[in-house]
Amino acid sequence: MSGDPENSEHPEPPERAATTARADEFLAGLRDWLAIPSIGVDPAHHGDVARSAAWLAEALRADGWPDVRVWDEGPAQPAVYAHWPSADPDAPVVLVYGHHDVQPVDPVERWTRPPFEPTLVGEELFGRGASDDKGQVAMHLLGVRAHLAATGRTTPAVTLKLFVEGEEEGGSPHIARTLADHGPELDCDLVVFTDTPLYSREAPTVCTGQRGVYGAEVVVTGGATDVHSGRAGGSIPNPATALARLVAALHDEDGRVQLPGFYDHVVLPTDVERADYASLPFDEQVWLTNSGRARGLSGESGWSTLERVWVRPTAEVNGLVAGYTGPGLKTVVPADARVKLSFRLVPGQRPEHVAEALREFVDAHTPEGLSAEIVSRGDGVPPYAVDVAHPAVGAVRDALEGALGKPVRFSRTGGSGPAAVLHETLRVPVVYFGVALPDDNIHAPDERVVVPLLLSGAEALAVLWRTLPERLASGEPPA
């Protein structure tokens, strides 16, 4: 941090000073919020999800947000909505998306510190939800306070709306209904989606897209019961053998998925994005260690590891079972065999189209004498990617560069989220803003967040709200 702005050759940005002045209060509040075990997927903690929503609503009111509501009419877990109109009549309307539910903490015995007793160790804050996503939602509250303090405004330079749902960790099963029920309140010009990481602290990035996902279980059935293999083996079709052949046929020798038409409408990343991916530091051994201590890289030929994870679609076997799996040997031809599959999707693909292609693929690989059933696991999540030439993307990147003091490149994430649903329902672009790190242990024991990154993120948000109206008006793309 620099010293006295009047005497320094490089004065401290006002947004940084405003953020720093409120850092202790911010951290104390975040720790209080993290202590609430708002595990949305666990019915035993649904009361805690309601307490978490109430905490956030009260914090927003204390910060001066004039319109704050808790949407708890069901069937969704309680969500928080807030609205702070700008005094500028032509100000753009920005909706900030995040979530306040958190993952379960099992196995709790692997936590070094109690998951709901937030602990500060150096510059790292440990606790469930510290990174995903309470820390980053709280960062937005600090960013608004810093924006007003730095500019002397009494209202933001943009009209801000906040939508913080309570069931993202369960796949946001009711978000489409919530968006439909509250369409007028959520009407906006732009969505800022806050639930994504930087590539690393040393090589920060702004995310520009997330993959979608479709999951299904395939059950291949022969007879009504298992049959002694000495009596019937070799005379009737074996569901396990048929399923093994089906699974083996999912990919060709180059790692490409063999569902019919799977790649027909895939939208490729831009040359600018691919150049940024290639310029990011990548350590193969570190990647393997962080990927379950895997022993080697694999995937679709012609694409880098980062591209395989961020911008290429996949088919993965998540579970495979058939026949007898207990101790010892039981010589049977199993009555059925089943496999759980998931497909990560990229822009241009749709879950419902992949479901149709899977049906065609399974039918083609089911031998006579066997039947195959496909059970979809929900409707799936569509993919989404924003146009990197959109001026809001440039505004986000520039704000982060100023706050972090490092060049910011483009990245994507291989996971999924409701960005596409927000985009398709609200019919506006969705840009990403996140300062978490890939090694924050989200969904795992000892989740943490790096507090200086949250403070830098709040500073960048304060700058973003000041600069965004002019950037959107001018249509200025990223530099």
Side-chain angles (χ1 to χ4, degrees), residues 26-39 45 48 51-53 55-56 99-103 105 111 114-120 124-139 447-451 454:
F26 161 76
L27 185 58
L30 176 56
R31 293 175 76 165
D32 286 344
W33 196 18
L34 294 177
I36 302 174
S38 52
I39 304 172
H45 286 280
D48 294 315
R51 285 203 300 129
S52 173
W55 186 96
L56 176 57
H99 65 91
H100 68 97
D101 62 314
V102 301
Q103 278 278 324
V105 297
W111 286 75
F116 295 110
E117 296 178 17
T119 306
L120 186 65
E124 299 177 334
L125 179 62
F126 289 85
R128 178 59 91 221
S131 177
D132 181 24
D133 188 33
K134 287 181 178 177
Q136 299 202 83
V137 172
M139 173 185 69
E447 180 179 349
R448 66 92 203 255
V449 73
V450 178
V451 174
L454 286 182

Side-chain angles (χ1 to χ4, degrees), residues 194-450:
T194 296
D195 191 15
T196 52
L198 307 171
Y199 179 72
S200 72
R201 194 170 182 179
E202 295 72 28
T205 54
V206 56
C207 178
T208 61
Q210 293 175 290
R211 292 192 295 186
V213 65
Y214 168 71
E217 183 172 7
V218 180
V219 183
V220 177
T221 302
T225 64
D226 294 353
V227 181
H228 192 302
S229 64
R231 186 178 71 81
S235 69
I236 60 174
N238 189 313
T241 302
L243 186 65
R245 288 173 174 158
L246 182 152
V247 169
L250 269 175
H251 301 87
D252 67 11
E253 62 275 10
D254 293 320
R256 287 176 62 86
V257 179
Q258 293 302 287
L259 268 60
F262 190 71
Y263 296 94
D264 285 356
H265 303 290
V266 165
V267 177
L268 300 179
T270 65
D271 291 342
V272 171
E273 289 174 284
R274 294 196 72 181
D276 270 10
Y277 306 159
S279 71
L280 290 168
F282 179 80
D283 186 308
E284 178 179 322
Q285 192 53 54
V286 170
W287 183 271
L288 293 173
T289 299
N290 292 338
S291 300
R293 297 195 179 102
R295 299 179 181 180
L297 297 174
S298 179
E300 184 185 358
S301 298
W303 298 87
S304 70
T305 298
L306 294 180
E307 289 172 330
R308 289 169 180 167
V309 174
W310 290 346
V311 299
R312 298 303 292 167
T314 65
E316 295 293 343
V317 175
N318 309 130
L320 184 65
V321 63
Y324 178 70
T325 59
L329 181 65
K330 186 179 182 183
T331 54
V332 297
V333 176
D336 57 48
R338 58 190 64 220
V339 62
K340 294 181 185 291
L341 303 172
S342 64
F343 299 85
R344 293 290 175 174
L345 314 180
V346 298
Q349 295 180 304
R350 299 289 304 183
E352 60 270 25
H353 297 160
V354 173
E356 294 171 3
L358 178 62
R359 175 77 269 173
E360 185 177 343
F361 176 84
V362 169
D363 286 347
H365 289 81
T366 302
E368 186 177 351
L370 299 176
S371 64
E373 179 187 11
I374 299 175
V375 181
S376 293
R377 299 305 178 188
D379 296 330
V381 177
Y384 176 76
V386 66
D387 182 355
V388 296
H390 192 283
V393 176
V396 168
R397 191 173 73 172
D398 291 349
L400 282 170
E401 284 189 347
L404 296 172
K406 295 182 176 71
V408 173
R409 288 167 277 191
F410 293 131
S411 67
R412 295 195 193 179
T413 62
S416 305
V421 178
L422 291 163
H423 167 68
E424 292 172 4
T425 305
L426 301 176
R427 300 183 182 277
V428 297
V430 177
V431 298
Y432 295 87
F433 189 107
V435 295
L437 292 175
D439 58 353
D440 276 346
N441 293 327
I442 67 170
H443 297 200
D446 286 343
E447 180 179 349
R448 66 92 203 255
V449 73
V450 178

Side-chain angles (χ1 to χ4, degrees), residues 37-43 45-46 49 77 100-104 166-170:
S38 52
I39 304 172
V41 297
D42 185 349
H45 286 280
H46 285 182
V49 178
Q77 292 286 330
H100 68 97
D101 62 314
V102 301
Q103 278 278 324
E167 53 182 22
E168 190 275 345
E169 299 294 6

Side-chain angles (χ1 to χ4, degrees), residues 47-123:
D48 294 315
V49 178
R51 285 203 300 129
S52 173
W55 186 96
L56 176 57
E58 183 56 35
L60 289 161
R61 294 184 185 106
D63 281 354
W65 287 69
D67 182 9
V68 179
R69 308 174 212 171
V70 176
W71 290 341
D72 58 357
E73 62 271 22
Q77 292 286 330
V80 177
Y81 168 81
H83 180 204
W84 198 331
S86 175
D88 300 340
D90 297 327
V93 180
V94 179
L95 173 68
V96 174
Y97 167 85
H99 65 91
H100 68 97
D101 62 314
V102 301
Q103 278 278 324
V105 297
D106 305 298
V108 70
E109 66 273 9
R110 294 188 182 178
W111 286 75
T112 306
R113 306 159 187 88
F116 295 110
E117 296 178 17
T119 306
L120 186 65
V121 180
E123 60 182 22

